[in-house]
Amino acid sequence: MDDIQKSFVERLQQQGIAIDDRQLHQFEQYYELLVEWNEKMNLTGITERDQVYTKHFYDSLTLAFYVKMPDIGNMADIGSGAGFPGIPLKIAFPHLNLTIVDSLNKRITFLKHVVETLGLEQVELIHGRAEEVARKQGYRDGFDLVTARAVARMAVLNEFCLPFTKVGGRFAAMKGSDPSEEIQEAARSLKELRGSLNQVYSFSLPIEESDRHIVIIDKKGATPAKYPRKAGTAAKSPL
């Protein structure tokens, strides 16, 4: 274990998250694949090893500081891109039944390779638009926890993600800058989609101290039949 990994492990331990040598090896494999594949497709602008461990891996796992992951059975990560936060959370909490939805097939191809190489089980990777997948049986109102990291503004995210969230489940939006204005904008979409603001957690990433926020939304009722609207509508005309 080198200094970067040691620092990563110690910071997680401070938050009550323990990872063993096998999991640490999986994170290192993930890093190597990310850099390798990034040379042929645009997965991330962050490739320095210490930065990947902090800004991608640790940042993804901050969700577990505020949500009791051992209590989560299944989780959907919407617009996951290169696999964040879904894959780091799956590595750290192997019991999770993880579904990732992304609209770009080449990213799904990359994630399939990651899942196979790391030996991850109970991971479903779906190439498709969130608005279309959320209408399918087994996905609609189907997940204990739904996540999205740096995907869109809250009014749009609510329509992407709350239809996947089961009644009594939670949607967690992972944000950089203060989302207060976005949350105010999203009041109508929350009401329409049967969501209720639970809490907003604010913190800073270690070392560089950049701001992070996690918005927790509770799902109070089944998704109305008219939502989500057809693909592209939410982004063009948010609720």
Side-chain angles (χ1 to χ4, degrees), residues 85 94 239:
L239 288 171

Side-chain angles (χ1 to χ4, degrees), residues 63 66-67 154 170-174 179 183 190 196-202 213-218:
L63 183 57
Y66 307 106
V67 174
M154 287 302 302
R170 287 180 166 183
F171 160 45
M174 304 182 75
I183 292 168
L190 275 181
S196 174
L197 179 64
N198 177 301
Q199 195 153 349
V200 180
Y201 295 99
S202 304
H213 298 79
I214 296 179
V215 183
I216 305 289
I217 306 288
D218 293 333

Side-chain angles (χ1 to χ4, degrees), residues 47-58:
T47 55
E48 298 85 357
R49 187 161 168 268
D50 61 333
Q51 297 280 297
V52 170
Y53 269 82
T54 301
K55 292 184 177 180
H56 284 326
F57 298 166
Y58 181 87

Side-chain angles (χ1 to χ4, degrees), residues 5-227:
Q5 292 173 314
K6 188 177 179 183
S7 177
F8 176 64
V9 169
E10 286 175 351
R11 288 196 194 104
L12 292 177
Q13 285 176 337
Q14 289 167 7
Q15 298 290 339
I17 299 171
I19 57 172
D20 60 25
D21 289 344
R22 179 173 182 268
Q23 290 164 305
L24 195 58
H25 178 61
Q26 288 174 318
F27 276 113
E28 187 62 21
Q29 286 179 298
Y30 189 12
Y31 164 71
E32 290 169 358
L33 290 172
L34 184 68
V35 172
E36 178 190 336
W37 282 61
N38 201 57
E39 291 178 2
K40 50 190 173 184
M41 66 173 74
N42 182 26
L43 291 167
T44 177
I46 299 167
T47 55
E48 298 85 357
R49 187 161 168 268
D50 61 333
Q51 297 280 297
V52 170
Y53 269 82
T54 301
K55 292 184 177 180
H56 284 326
F57 298 166
Y58 181 87
D59 188 29
S60 293
L61 294 174
T62 57
L63 183 57
F65 305 168
Y66 307 106
V67 174
K68 291 180 180 177
M69 298 308 293
D71 295 345
I72 303 299
N74 64 350
M75 171 182 140
D77 183 9
I78 309 302
S80 187
F84 307 118
I87 298 293
L89 286 165
K90 173 65 180 176
I91 294 171
F93 301 95
H95 77 281
L96 285 174
N97 196 319
L98 172 66
T99 297
I100 286 178
V101 179
D102 198 273
S103 61
L104 206 58
N105 195 43
K106 64 180 182 179
R107 289 197 289 249
I108 293 294
T109 300
F110 164 69
L111 291 173
K112 282 179 179 173
H113 187 68
V114 169
V115 167
E116 288 167 8
T117 304
L118 273 56
L120 302 177
E121 298 176 348
Q122 294 182 304
V123 179
E124 183 179 14
L125 303 166
I126 300 174
H127 170 227
R129 299 287 294 260
E131 303 98 315
E132 293 164 356
V133 179
R135 287 196 165 273
K136 295 181 179 178
Q137 189 175 359
Y139 302 101
R140 187 176 185 84
D141 295 335
F143 293 88
D144 299 328
L145 177 66
V146 179
T147 66
R149 178 177 178 257
V151 172
R153 291 179 74 82
M154 287 302 302
V156 178
L157 272 186
N158 286 336
E159 191 165 353
F160 285 167
C161 297
L162 280 168
F164 286 94
T165 312
K166 68 168 57 169
V167 178
R170 287 180 166 183
F171 160 45
M174 304 182 75
K175 295 282 185 179
S177 55
D178 186 352
S180 301
E181 185 182 314
E182 287 185 43
I183 292 168
Q184 289 178 342
E185 276 178 11
R188 179 174 172 236
S189 70
L190 275 181
K191 187 177 179 182
E192 286 280 319
L193 293 155
R194 309 297 188 261
S196 174
L197 179 64
N198 177 301
Q199 195 153 349
V200 180
Y201 295 99
S202 304
F203 58 98
S204 298
L205 282 187
I207 303 173
E208 61 167 67
E209 299 187 350
S210 54
D211 291 341
R212 291 291 186 272
H213 298 79
I214 296 179
V215 183
I216 305 289
I217 306 288
D218 293 333
K219 181 73 172 283
K220 297 296 190 180
T223 305
K226 62 182 175 179
Y227 298 113

